[in-house]
Coordinates of all heavy atoms in Angstrom, one line a residue:
M1 N 94.7 97.8 86.2 CA 95.8 97.8 85.3 C 96.9 98.7 85.9 O 98.1 98.4 85.6 CB 95.4 98.4 83.9 CG 94.5 97.6 83.1 SD 95.3 96.1 82.6 CE 93.9 95.3 81.9
H2 N 96.6 99.6 86.7 CA 97.6 100.5 87.2 C 98.6 99.7 88.1 O 99.8 100.1 88.2 CB 97.0 101.7 88.0 CG 98.0 102.7 88.4 ND1 98.6 102.7 89.6 CD2 98.4 103.8 87.7 CE1 99.5 103.7 89.7 NE2 99.4 104.4 88.6
E3 N 98.1 98.7 88.8 CA 99.0 97.9 89.7 C 100.2 97.3 88.9 O 101.2 97.0 89.5 CB 98.2 96.9 90.4 CG 97.3 97.4 91.5 CD 98.1 98.1 92.6 OE1 99.1 97.6 93.1 OE2 97.8 99.3 92.9
F4 N 100.0 97.1 87.6 CA 101.1 96.4 86.8 C 102.3 97.4 86.7 O 103.4 96.9 86.4 CB 100.6 96.1 85.5 CG 99.8 94.8 85.5 CD1 98.4 94.8 85.4 CD2 100.4 93.6 85.6 CE1 97.7 93.7 85.5 CE2 99.7 92.4 85.6 CZ 98.3 92.4 85.5
V5 N 102.2 98.6 87.0 CA 103.3 99.6 87.0 C 104.4 99.1 87.9 O 105.6 99.2 87.6 CB 102.8 101.0 87.5 CG1 104.0 101.9 87.9 CG2 102.0 101.6 86.4
K6 N 104.1 98.5 89.0 CA 105.1 98.0 89.9 C 106.0 96.9 89.3 O 107.1 96.7 89.7 CB 104.4 97.4 91.2 CG 103.7 98.5 92.0 CD 102.9 97.9 93.1 CE 102.2 99.1 93.8 NZ 101.2 98.6 94.7
I7 N 105.4 96.2 88.3 CA 106.3 95.2 87.6 C 107.4 96.0 86.8 O 108.5 95.5 86.9 CB 105.4 94.4 86.6 CG1 104.5 93.5 87.3 CG2 106.3 93.6 85.6 CD1 103.5 92.7 86.5
G8 N 107.1 97.1 86.2 CA 108.1 97.8 85.4 C 109.1 98.5 86.3 O 110.3 98.7 85.9
I9 N 108.7 98.9 87.5 CA 109.6 99.6 88.4 C 110.4 98.7 89.3 O 111.6 98.9 89.5 CB 108.8 100.6 89.3 CG1 108.1 101.6 88.4 CG2 109.7 101.3 90.3 CD1 107.1 102.6 89.2
F10 N 109.8 97.6 89.8 CA 110.5 96.8 90.7 C 110.7 95.3 90.3 O 111.8 94.9 90.2 CB 109.6 96.7 92.1 CG 109.5 98.1 92.7 CD1 108.2 98.7 92.7 CD2 110.5 98.7 93.3 CE1 108.1 100.0 93.2 CE2 110.3 100.0 93.9 CZ 109.1 100.6 93.8
T11 N 109.6 94.6 89.9 CA 109.7 93.2 89.7 C 110.7 92.9 88.5 O 111.5 91.9 88.6 CB 108.3 92.6 89.4 OG1 107.4 93.0 90.4 CG2 108.4 91.1 89.2
R12 N 110.6 93.6 87.5 CA 111.4 93.4 86.3 C 112.9 93.4 86.6 O 113.7 92.7 86.0 CB 111.0 94.4 85.2 CG 111.9 94.7 84.1 CD 112.9 95.7 84.4 NE 113.7 95.9 83.2 CZ 114.9 95.4 83.0 NH1 115.5 94.8 83.9 NH2 115.5 95.6 81.8
N13 N 113.3 94.2 87.6 CA 114.7 94.3 88.0 C 115.2 93.1 88.8 O 116.3 92.8 88.9 CB 115.0 95.5 88.8 CG 114.8 96.8 88.0 OD1 115.0 96.8 86.8 ND2 114.3 97.9 88.6
I14 N 114.2 92.4 89.4 CA 114.5 91.2 90.2 C 114.5 89.9 89.4 O 115.3 89.1 89.4 CB 113.6 91.1 91.4 CG1 113.8 92.3 92.3 CG2 113.8 89.8 92.2 CD1 112.7 92.5 93.4
S15 N 113.4 89.8 88.6 CA 113.2 88.6 87.8 C 112.3 88.9 86.6 O 111.1 89.0 86.7 CB 112.6 87.5 88.6 OG 112.3 86.3 87.8
V16 N 112.9 88.9 85.4 CA 112.1 89.1 84.2 C 111.1 87.9 83.9 O 110.0 88.2 83.7 CB 113.0 89.4 82.9 CG1 112.2 89.2 81.6 CG2 113.7 90.7 83.0
P17 N 111.6 86.7 84.1 CA 110.6 85.6 83.9 C 109.4 85.7 84.9 O 108.3 85.4 84.5 CB 111.4 84.3 84.2 CG 112.8 84.7 83.9 CD 112.9 86.2 84.3
F18 N 109.6 86.1 86.1 CA 108.6 86.2 87.1 C 107.6 87.4 86.7 O 106.4 87.2 86.7 CB 109.1 86.5 88.5 CG 108.0 86.5 89.5 CD1 107.4 85.4 90.0 CD2 107.6 87.7 90.0 CE1 106.4 85.4 91.0 CE2 106.6 87.8 91.0 CZ 106.0 86.6 91.5
A19 N 108.2 88.4 86.2 CA 107.4 89.6 85.7 C 106.5 89.2 84.5 O 105.3 89.5 84.5 CB 108.3 90.8 85.3
I20 N 107.1 88.4 83.6 CA 106.3 87.9 82.4 C 105.2 87.0 82.9 O 104.1 87.0 82.5 CB 107.2 87.2 81.4 CG1 108.1 88.3 80.8 CG2 106.4 86.4 80.4 CD1 109.3 87.7 79.9
G21 N 105.6 86.1 83.9 CA 104.6 85.2 84.5 C 103.4 85.9 85.1 O 102.3 85.4 85.1
Q22 N 103.7 87.0 85.8 CA 102.6 87.8 86.5 C 101.6 88.3 85.4 O 100.5 88.2 85.6 CB 103.2 89.0 87.2 CG 103.8 88.6 88.6 CD 104.2 89.8 89.3 OE1 105.1 90.5 88.9 NE2 103.5 90.1 90.4
I23 N 102.2 88.8 84.3 CA 101.3 89.3 83.3 C 100.6 88.2 82.6 O 99.3 88.3 82.4 CB 102.2 90.2 82.3 CG1 102.7 91.4 82.9 CG2 101.3 90.5 81.0 CD1 103.8 92.2 82.2
K24 N 101.3 87.2 82.2 CA 100.6 86.1 81.5 C 99.6 85.4 82.5 O 98.5 84.9 82.0 CB 101.6 85.0 81.0 CG 102.3 85.6 79.8 CD 103.1 84.5 79.1 CE 103.7 85.0 77.8 NZ 104.5 84.1 77.1
G25 N 99.9 85.3 83.7 CA 99.0 84.7 84.7 C 97.7 85.5 84.8 O 96.6 84.9 84.9
Y26 N 97.8 86.8 84.8 CA 96.6 87.7 84.8 C 95.7 87.4 83.6 O 94.5 87.5 83.7 CB 97.1 89.1 84.9 CG 95.9 90.1 85.0 CD1 95.3 90.3 86.3 CD2 95.4 90.8 83.9 CE1 94.2 91.2 86.4 CE2 94.4 91.6 84.0 CZ 93.8 91.9 85.2 OH 92.7 92.7 85.3
F27 N 96.3 87.2 82.5 CA 95.6 86.9 81.3 C 95.4 85.5 80.9 O 95.1 85.1 79.8 CB 96.3 87.6 80.1 CG 96.2 89.1 80.1 CD1 97.2 89.9 80.6 CD2 95.0 89.8 79.7 CE1 97.1 91.3 80.8 CE2 94.9 91.2 79.8 CZ 96.0 91.9 80.3
N28 N 95.5 84.6 82.0 CA 95.2 83.2 81.9 C 96.1 82.5 80.8 O 95.6 81.7 80.0 CB 93.8 82.9 81.6 CG 92.9 83.3 82.8 OD1 93.2 83.1 84.0 ND2 91.8 83.9 82.5
G29 N 97.3 83.0 80.7 CA 98.3 82.4 79.8 C 98.2 82.9 78.4 O 99.0 82.6 77.5
K30 N 97.3 83.8 78.1 CA 97.2 84.4 76.8 C 98.0 85.7 76.7 O 98.3 86.3 77.7 CB 95.7 84.7 76.5 CG 94.9 83.5 76.4 CD 93.4 83.8 76.1 CE 92.6 82.4 76.1 NZ 91.2 82.6 76.3
E31 N 98.3 86.1 75.5 CA 99.0 87.4 75.3 C 98.1 88.6 75.6 O 96.9 88.6 75.3 CB 99.5 87.5 73.9 CG 100.7 86.5 73.6 CD 101.9 86.7 74.5 OE1 102.3 87.9 74.7 OE2 102.4 85.8 75.0
P32 N 98.7 89.5 76.3 CA 97.9 90.8 76.6 C 97.6 91.5 75.3 O 98.3 91.4 74.3 CB 98.8 91.6 77.5 CG 99.9 90.7 77.9 CD 100.0 89.6 77.0
S33 N 96.5 92.3 75.4 CA 96.1 93.1 74.2 C 97.0 94.3 74.0 O 97.7 94.7 74.9 CB 94.6 93.5 74.4 OG 94.5 94.4 75.4
D34 N 96.9 94.9 72.8 CA 97.5 96.1 72.6 C 97.1 97.2 73.6 O 97.8 98.1 74.0 CB 97.4 96.6 71.2 CG 98.1 95.7 70.2 OD1 99.0 95.0 70.6 OD2 97.7 95.8 69.0
E35 N 95.8 97.1 73.9 CA 95.2 98.1 74.8 C 95.9 98.0 76.2 O 96.2 99.0 76.8 CB 93.7 97.9 75.0 CG 93.0 98.9 76.0 CD 91.6 98.6 76.2 OE1 91.0 97.6 75.7 OE2 90.9 99.4 76.9
F36 N 96.2 96.8 76.6 CA 96.9 96.6 77.9 C 98.2 97.3 77.9 O 98.6 98.0 78.8 CB 97.1 95.1 78.2 CG 98.0 94.9 79.3 CD1 97.7 95.0 80.7 CD2 99.4 94.5 79.1 CE1 98.6 94.9 81.7 CE2 100.3 94.4 80.1 CZ 99.9 94.5 81.4
W37 N 99.0 97.0 76.8 CA 100.3 97.6 76.7 C 100.3 99.1 76.6 O 101.1 99.8 77.1 CB 101.1 97.0 75.5 CG 101.5 95.6 75.8 CD1 101.1 94.5 75.1 CD2 102.3 95.1 76.8 NE1 101.6 93.3 75.6 CE2 102.4 93.7 76.7 CE3 103.0 95.7 77.9 CZ2 103.1 92.9 77.6 CZ3 103.7 94.9 78.7 CH2 103.8 93.5 78.6
T38 N 99.3 99.6 75.9 CA 99.1 101.1 75.9 C 98.9 101.7 77.2 O 99.5 102.7 77.7 CB 98.0 101.5 74.9 OG1 98.3 101.0 73.6 CG2 97.8 103.0 74.8
L39 N 98.0 101.1 78.0 CA 97.7 101.6 79.4 C 98.9 101.4 80.3 O 99.2 102.2 81.1 CB 96.5 100.9 79.9 CG 95.1 101.3 79.4 CD1 94.0 100.4 79.9 CD2 94.9 102.8 79.7
Y40 N 99.5 100.2 80.2 CA 100.7 99.9 81.0 C 101.8 101.0 80.8 O 102.3 101.5 81.7 CB 101.2 98.5 80.7 CG 102.6 98.2 81.3 CD1 102.7 97.7 82.6 CD2 103.7 98.3 80.5 CE1 103.9 97.4 83.1 CE2 105.0 98.0 81.1 CZ 105.0 97.6 82.4 OH 106.3 97.3 82.9
S41 N 102.1 101.2 79.5 CA 103.2 102.2 79.3 C 102.7 103.6 79.7 O 103.5 104.4 80.1 CB 103.6 102.1 77.8 OG 102.6 102.5 76.9
L42 N 101.5 104.0 79.5 CA 101.0 105.3 79.9 C 101.1 105.4 81.4 O 101.7 106.4 81.9 CB 99.5 105.5 79.5 CG 98.9 106.7 80.0 CD1 99.5 108.0 79.5 CD2 97.3 106.6 79.8
Y43 N 100.7 104.5 82.2 CA 100.8 104.5 83.6 C 102.2 104.6 84.1 O 102.6 105.3 85.0 CB 100.0 103.4 84.3 CG 98.5 103.4 84.1 CD1 97.8 102.2 84.0 CD2 97.8 104.6 84.0 CE1 96.5 102.2 83.8 CE2 96.5 104.6 83.8 CZ 95.8 103.4 83.7 OH 94.4 103.4 83.5
L44 N 103.1 103.8 83.4 CA 104.5 103.8 83.8 C 105.1 105.2 83.5 O 105.9 105.7 84.3 CB 105.2 102.7 83.0 CG 106.6 102.3 83.5 CD1 106.6 101.9 85.0 CD2 107.1 101.2 82.7
A45 N 104.8 105.7 82.3 CA 105.3 107.1 82.0 C 104.8 108.1 83.0 O 105.6 109.0 83.4 CB 104.8 107.5 80.6
M46 N 103.6 108.0 83.4 CA 103.1 109.0 84.4 C 103.8 108.9 85.8 O 103.8 109.8 86.5 CB 101.6 108.8 84.6 CG 100.8 109.1 83.3 SD 99.0 108.6 83.4 CE 98.5 109.2 84.9
C47 N 104.4 107.7 86.0 CA 105.1 107.5 87.3 C 106.5 108.1 87.4 O 107.1 108.2 88.4 CB 105.2 106.0 87.6 SG 103.7 105.3 88.1
V48 N 107.0 108.5 86.3 CA 108.4 109.1 86.3 C 108.5 110.2 87.3 O 109.4 110.1 88.2 CB 108.8 109.6 84.9 CG1 110.1 110.3 84.9 CG2 108.9 108.4 83.9
F49 N 107.7 111.2 87.2 CA 107.8 112.4 88.1 C 107.3 112.1 89.5 O 107.9 112.5 90.5 CB 107.1 113.6 87.5 CG 107.7 114.0 86.2 CD1 107.0 113.7 85.0 CD2 108.9 114.5 86.1 CE1 107.5 114.1 83.8 CE2 109.5 114.8 84.9 CZ 108.8 114.6 83.7
S50 N 106.2 111.3 89.6 CA 105.7 111.0 91.0 C 106.7 110.1 91.7 O 106.7 110.2 93.0 CB 104.3 110.4 90.9 OG 104.3 109.2 90.2
T51 N 107.4 109.3 91.0 CA 108.3 108.4 91.7 C 109.5 109.2 92.3 O 109.9 109.0 93.4 CB 108.9 107.3 90.7 OG1 107.8 106.5 90.3 CG2 110.0 106.5 91.4
I52 N 109.9 110.2 91.6 CA 111.0 111.1 92.1 C 110.5 111.9 93.3 O 111.2 112.0 94.3 CB 111.4 112.1 91.0 CG1 112.1 111.4 89.8 CG2 112.3 113.2 91.5 CD1 113.5 110.7 90.1
V53 N 109.3 112.5 93.2 CA 108.7 113.2 94.3 C 108.5 112.3 95.5 O 108.9 112.7 96.7 CB 107.4 113.9 93.9 CG1 106.7 114.5 95.1 CG2 107.6 114.9 92.8
W54 N 108.0 111.1 95.3 CA 107.7 110.2 96.4 C 109.1 109.8 97.1 O 109.2 109.8 98.3 CB 107.0 108.9 95.9 CG 106.8 107.9 97.0 CD1 105.7 107.9 97.9 CD2 107.6 106.9 97.4 NE1 105.9 106.8 98.7 CE2 107.0 106.2 98.4 CE3 108.9 106.4 96.9 CZ2 107.6 105.0 99.0 CZ3 109.4 105.3 97.5 CH2 108.8 104.6 98.5
T55 N 110.1 109.5 96.3 CA 111.4 109.2 96.8 C 112.0 110.3 97.6 O 112.5 110.1 98.7 CB 112.3 108.7 95.7 OG1 111.7 107.6 95.0 CG2 113.7 108.3 96.3
L56 N 111.9 111.5 97.1 CA 112.5 112.7 97.8 C 111.8 112.9 99.2 O 112.5 113.2 100.1 CB 112.3 113.9 97.0 CG 113.3 114.1 95.8 CD1 112.9 115.3 95.0 CD2 114.7 114.3 96.4
K57 N 110.5 112.6 99.2 CA 109.8 112.8 100.5 C 109.9 111.7 101.5 O 109.9 111.9 102.7 CB 108.3 113.1 100.2 CG 108.0 114.4 99.5 CD 106.5 114.6 99.4 CE 106.2 115.9 98.9 NZ 104.8 116.2 98.8
T58 N 110.1 110.5 101.0 CA 110.1 109.3 101.9 C 111.4 108.7 102.2 O 111.7 108.3 103.3 CB 109.1 108.3 101.4 OG1 109.5 107.9 100.1 CG2 107.6 108.8 101.4
I59 N 112.2 108.5 101.1 CA 113.5 107.9 101.3 C 114.5 108.6 100.4 O 115.1 108.0 99.4 CB 113.4 106.4 100.9 CG1 112.7 106.1 99.6 CG2 112.8 105.6 102.1 CD1 112.8 104.7 99.1
P60 N 114.9 109.8 100.7 CA 115.8 110.6 99.8 C 117.2 109.9 99.7 O 117.8 110.1 98.7 CB 115.9 111.9 100.5 CG 115.4 111.7 101.9 CD 114.4 110.6 101.9
E61 N 117.5 109.2 100.7 CA 118.8 108.5 100.6 C 118.9 107.4 99.5 O 119.9 106.9 99.2 CB 119.2 107.9 102.0 CG 118.3 106.8 102.4 CD 117.0 107.2 103.1 OE1 116.8 108.4 103.2 OE2 116.3 106.3 103.6
D62 N 117.7 107.0 99.0 CA 117.6 106.0 98.0 C 117.4 106.6 96.6 O 117.1 105.9 95.6 CB 116.4 105.1 98.3 CG 116.6 103.7 97.6 OD1 117.7 103.2 97.5 OD2 115.6 103.1 97.3
M63 N 117.6 107.9 96.4 CA 117.3 108.6 95.2 C 118.2 108.1 94.0 O 117.6 107.9 92.9 CB 117.6 110.1 95.3 CG 117.2 110.9 94.0 SD 115.6 110.5 93.4 CE 114.6 111.6 94.4
D64 N 119.4 107.8 94.2 CA 120.3 107.2 93.1 C 119.7 105.9 92.6 O 119.6 105.6 91.4 CB 121.7 107.0 93.6 CG 122.4 108.3 93.7 OD1 122.0 109.3 93.2 OD2 123.5 108.4 94.4
N65 N 119.3 105.0 93.5 CA 118.7 103.7 93.2 C 117.4 103.9 92.4 O 117.2 103.3 91.4 CB 118.4 102.9 94.5 CG 117.8 101.6 94.1 OD1 118.1 100.9 93.1 ND2 116.9 101.2 95.0
M66 N 116.6 104.9 92.8 CA 115.3 105.1 92.1 C 115.5 105.7 90.7 O 114.8 105.3 89.8 CB 114.4 106.0 93.0 CG 113.0 105.9 92.5 SD 112.2 104.3 92.5 CE 112.0 103.9 94.2
R67 N 116.5 106.6 90.6 CA 116.8 107.2 89.3 C 117.3 106.1 88.4 O 117.0 106.1 87.2 CB 117.8 108.3 89.4 CG 117.2 109.6 89.6 CD 118.2 110.7 89.4 NE 118.3 111.3 90.8 CZ 119.4 111.7 91.3 NH1 120.5 111.7 90.7 NH2 119.4 112.1 92.6
N68 N 118.0 105.1 88.9 CA 118.5 104.0 88.1 C 117.3 103.2 87.6 O 117.3 102.8 86.4 CB 119.5 103.2 88.9 CG 120.1 102.0 88.1 OD1 120.5 102.3 87.0 ND2 120.0 100.8 88.6
R69 N 116.4 102.9 88.5 CA 115.2 102.2 88.1 C 114.4 102.9 87.0 O 113.9 102.3 86.0 CB 114.3 101.9 89.3 CG 114.8 101.0 90.3 CD 113.9 100.9 91.6 NE 114.5 100.2 92.6 CZ 114.3 98.8 92.8 NH1 113.5 98.2 91.9 NH2 114.9 98.2 93.7
I70 N 114.3 104.2 87.1 CA 113.6 105.0 86.1 C 114.3 104.9 84.8 O 113.7 104.7 83.7 CB 113.4 106.4 86.6 CG1 112.4 106.5 87.7 CG2 113.0 107.3 85.4 CD1 112.4 107.8 88.5
N71 N 115.6 105.0 84.8 CA 116.4 104.9 83.6 C 116.2 103.6 82.9 O 116.1 103.4 81.7 CB 117.8 105.2 83.8 CG 118.1 106.7 84.0 OD1 117.4 107.5 83.4 ND2 119.0 107.0 84.9
I72 N 116.1 102.5 83.7 CA 115.9 101.2 83.2 C 114.5 101.1 82.5 O 114.5 100.6 81.3 CB 116.0 100.1 84.3 CG1 117.5 100.0 84.7 CG2 115.5 98.7 83.8 CD1 117.7 99.2 86.0
F73 N 113.5 101.5 83.1 CA 112.2 101.4 82.4 C 112.0 102.4 81.3 O 111.3 102.1 80.3 CB 111.0 101.3 83.4 CG 110.5 102.6 84.0 CD1 109.9 103.6 83.4 CD2 110.6 102.7 85.5 CE1 109.5 104.8 84.0 CE2 110.1 103.8 86.1 CZ 109.5 104.8 85.4
L74 N 112.7 103.5 81.3 CA 112.8 104.4 80.1 C 113.5 103.6 79.0 O 113.0 103.7 77.8 CB 113.4 105.7 80.4 CG 112.7 106.6 81.4 CD1 113.5 107.8 81.8 CD2 111.4 107.1 80.7
D75 N 114.6 103.0 79.3 CA 115.3 102.2 78.3 C 114.5 101.0 77.8 O 114.4 100.7 76.6 CB 116.6 101.7 78.8 CG 117.7 102.8 79.0 OD1 117.5 103.9 78.4 OD2 118.7 102.5 79.7
D76 N 113.7 100.4 78.7 CA 112.9 99.3 78.3 C 111.9 99.6 77.2 O 111.4 98.8 76.5 CB 112.2 98.7 79.5 CG 113.0 97.9 80.5 OD1 114.2 97.5 80.1 OD2 112.6 97.6 81.6
H77 N 111.4 100.8 77.3 CA 110.4 101.3 76.3 C 111.0 102.3 75.3 O 110.2 102.9 74.6 CB 109.3 102.0 77.1 CG 108.5 101.1 77.9 ND1 107.3 100.5 77.5 CD2 108.6 100.6 79.2 CE1 106.8 99.7 78.4 NE2 107.6 99.8 79.5
Q78 N 112.3 102.3 75.2 CA 112.9 103.3 74.3 C 112.3 104.7 74.5 O 111.9 105.3 73.5 CB 112.9 102.8 72.9 CG 113.7 101.6 72.6 CD 113.7 101.2 71.1 OE1 112.9 101.6 70.3 NE2 114.7 100.3 70.8
Y79 N 112.3 105.1 75.7 CA 111.7 106.4 76.1 C 110.3 106.6 75.6 O 109.9 107.6 75.1 CB 112.6 107.6 75.7 CG 113.8 107.6 76.6 CD1 114.9 106.7 76.4 CD2 114.0 108.5 77.6 CE1 116.0 106.7 77.2 CE2 115.1 108.5 78.4 CZ 116.1 107.6 78.3 OH 117.2 107.6 79.1
F80 N 109.5 105.4 75.6 CA 108.1 105.4 75.3 C 107.8 105.5 73.8 O 106.7 105.8 73.4 CB 107.3 106.2 76.2 CG 107.3 105.7 77.6 CD1 108.1 106.4 78.5 CD2 106.7 104.6 78.0 CE1 108.3 105.9 79.8 CE2 106.8 104.1 79.3 CZ 107.6 104.8 80.2
K81 N 108.8 105.2 73.0 CA 108.6 105.0 71.6 C 107.8 103.7 71.4 O 107.1 103.5 70.4 CB 109.8 105.0 70.8 CG 110.5 106.4 70.7 CD 111.8 106.3 69.9 CE 112.5 107.7 70.0 NZ 113.9 107.6 69.4
N82 N 108.1 102.8 72.3 CA 107.4 101.4 72.3 C 106.5 101.3 73.5 O 106.9 101.7 74.6 CB 108.4 100.3 72.3 CG 109.3 100.3 71.1 OD1 109.0 100.7 70.0 ND2 110.6 99.9 71.3
V83 N 105.3 100.8 73.3 CA 104.4 100.6 74.5 C 104.8 99.3 75.2 O 104.6 99.2 76.4 CB 102.9 100.6 74.1 CG1 102.6 102.0 73.7 CG2 102.6 99.6 73.0
K84 N 105.3 98.3 74.4 CA 105.6 97.0 75.1 C 107.1 97.0 75.4 O 107.9 97.4 74.6 CB 105.4 95.8 74.1 CG 105.5 94.5 74.7 CD 105.4 93.4 73.7 CE 104.0 93.2 73.2 NZ 103.9 92.0 72.3
P85 N 107.4 96.7 76.7 CA 108.8 96.7 77.1 C 109.7 95.7 76.4 O 109.2 94.6 76.0 CB 108.8 96.5 78.6 CG 107.5 95.7 78.8 CD 106.5 96.2 77.7
S86 N 110.9 96.0 76.2 CA 111.9 95.2 75.5 C 112.1 93.8 76.2 O 112.4 92.8 75.6 CB 113.2 95.8 75.3 OG 113.8 96.2 76.5
W87 N 111.9 93.8 77.5 CA 112.1 92.5 78.2 C 110.9 91.5 78.1 O 111.1 90.4 78.4 CB 112.3 92.8 79.8 CG 111.3 93.6 80.4 CD1 111.3 95.0 80.7 CD2 110.0 93.2 80.9 NE1 110.2 95.4 81.3 CE2 109.3 94.3 81.5 CE3 109.3 91.9 80.9 CZ2 108.1 94.2 82.1 CZ3 108.1 91.8 81.5 CH2 107.5 93.0 82.1
Y88 N 109.8 92.0 77.6 CA 108.7 91.1 77.4 C 108.8 90.4 76.1 O 108.6 91.0 75.1 CB 107.3 91.8 77.5 CG 106.1 90.9 77.5 CD1 105.7 90.4 78.7 CD2 105.5 90.5 76.4 CE1 104.6 89.5 78.8 CE2 104.5 89.6 76.4 CZ 104.0 89.1 77.6 OH 103.0 88.2 77.6
K89 N 109.1 89.1 76.2 CA 109.2 88.3 74.9 C 108.3 87.1 74.9 O 107.9 86.5 75.9 CB 110.7 87.8 74.8 CG 111.6 89.0 74.7 CD 113.0 88.5 74.6 CE 114.0 89.5 74.4 NZ 114.5 90.6 74.9

């Protein structure tokens, strides 16, 4: 489940339909459970700080871009008041 974090950080910014397709494909076209969304949002929330640290250590010149990505997924979840992102319909 942790690998789905990349959807919230990267894929969703490129193509929301593709991101939805990845999730639905994993669940054979069925809707993910509430447990999935809880874990997904937990793992994504846990990435906020590690993403900043990783970016500072590996590609500091990309920090503005990474902060923008973080702000997008924070907005997607209303700062984790919602476990399911707003883009998933």
Side-chain angles (χ1 to χ4, degrees):
M1 295 292 176
H2 189 269
E3 286 298 311
F4 283 102
V5 164
K6 294 174 185 166
I7 289 175
I9 299 172
F10 301 106
T11 308
R12 164 272 182 256
N13 294 329
I14 297 168
S15 174
V16 168
F18 185 77
I20 292 170
Q22 282 185 295
I23 293 169
K24 286 190 174 182
Y26 182 81
F27 289 97
N28 296 316
K30 297 179 183 162
E31 288 300 315
S33 67
D34 290 341
E35 180 183 6
F36 166 79
W37 289 116
T38 299
L39 287 173
Y40 170 82
S41 65
L42 171 66
Y43 295 146
L44 196 57
M46 290 169 52
C47 282
V48 171
F49 299 109
S50 62
T51 298
I52 294 292
V53 171
W54 179 85
T55 303
L56 282 171
K57 287 185 175 187
T58 57
I59 48 171
E61 65 277 5
D62 203 33
M63 183 52 82
D64 288 340
N65 179 37
M66 197 56 74
R67 268 191 251 144
N68 184 48
R69 290 175 188 270
I70 290 169
N71 285 326
I72 289 169
F73 72 70
L74 289 172
D75 288 341
D76 286 345
H77 290 269
Q78 293 185 343
Y79 288 75
F80 296 102
K81 290 178 186 173
N82 299 328
V83 293
K84 190 185 290 188
S86 60
W87 55 260
Y88 188 87
K89 300 179 175 47

